[in-house]
Amino acid sequence: MAHKRDREATRAKLLECSRLRFARDGYDGTSVRDVAGDVGVDPALVFRYFGSKSGLFTEAMAGSSEPVILPDGPVEELPAKLMRQLVFEDWAEYAGEHPLIAMLRSAGHEDMKDRLRRQVCDGYLGVLSDLADGNEDKHLRTELFAAWLLGIGILRTAVGTPALADATEDDLRPHLAAVAEALFGREVPAHPPQTGSGSTAAPAD
């Protein structure tokens, strides 16, 4: 039993350390030797437990492919809540970044583009597009807003541009409101009221 517990603990530690590595350095920037060194084991154990680097990556990042959980509340409040979730919340499990931003570092991996597309299209765009109802190009407007929001996350954490890295949520709120109103053609609150912590999964197509 002790051997089984040790094996499970080592396997769990390899997943934890590799998740941080993949989130911070991407798939190509992470080696099996790096992950094994973080845990203090022989690299051969990685291949024994996961079969390959790709197998390790798939299992370590499995949580990033789960259905997107969107904040509860009126759809008008979603842009501000998503900005907080994507840009300002600390996702320790993924080296501090939102899983979606972390996944972008490994977009060259064989199945990561499909994962990203499902996350963005099924998880975010479908709901956000309700804000653009009444516009003939509602889907383009929605994707432009999503690109703006994701771009903030990328420049702030992955690139570390100084102004965005130092910006607070209060600094960005008026710009969020202006961009959202320009694209969706309706007023969008920059600072939604505080509510409970409940969330709902985005509906699948």
Side-chain angles (χ1 to χ4, degrees), residues 72-85 88 145 148 168-178 180-181 187-195:
D72 284 338
V75 69
E76 291 81 5
E77 296 178 359
L78 190 56
K81 290 178 177 178
L82 283 180
M83 183 175 74
R84 177 177 299 163
Q85 189 182 80
F88 290 100
F145 179 78
W148 181 80
T168 65
E169 195 172 350
D170 284 337
D171 292 331
L172 295 188
R173 282 187 182 122
H175 303 293
L176 171 80
E181 184 172 356
E187 187 174 347
V188 173
H191 194 170
Q194 293 289 337
T195 59

Side-chain angles (χ1 to χ4, degrees), residues 104-201:
L104 286 168
R105 294 181 185 274
S106 301
H109 188 254
E110 55 190 34
D111 69 340
M112 189 52 71
K113 284 185 179 179
D114 287 338
R115 290 197 203 185
L116 282 166
R117 189 178 295 108
R118 289 195 299 270
Q119 285 275 337
V120 173
C121 294
D122 298 342
Y124 295 101
L125 298 183
V127 178
L128 278 172
S129 67
D130 290 346
L131 287 170
D133 281 346
N135 295 285
E136 291 184 1
D137 57 348
K138 62 177 289 185
H139 297 297
L140 176 59
R141 289 169 179 263
T142 303
E143 290 184 24
L144 284 169
F145 179 78
W148 181 80
L149 199 57
L150 282 173
I152 291 174
I154 292 168
L155 288 180
R156 179 179 167 85
T157 60
V159 180
T161 56
L164 278 175
D166 292 340
T168 65
E169 195 172 350
D170 284 337
D171 292 331
L172 295 188
R173 282 187 182 122
H175 303 293
L176 171 80
V179 170
E181 184 172 356
L183 287 173
F184 296 132
R186 61 197 293 182
E187 187 174 347
V188 173
H191 194 170
Q194 293 289 337
T195 59
S197 59
S199 305
T200 56

Side-chain angles (χ1 to χ4, degrees), residues 3-15 39:
H3 177 72
K4 182 179 180 181
R5 285 196 298 269
D6 289 345
R7 180 183 184 279
E8 290 174 349
T10 300
R11 195 176 190 282
K13 192 65 176 177
L14 285 167
L15 287 172
V39 180

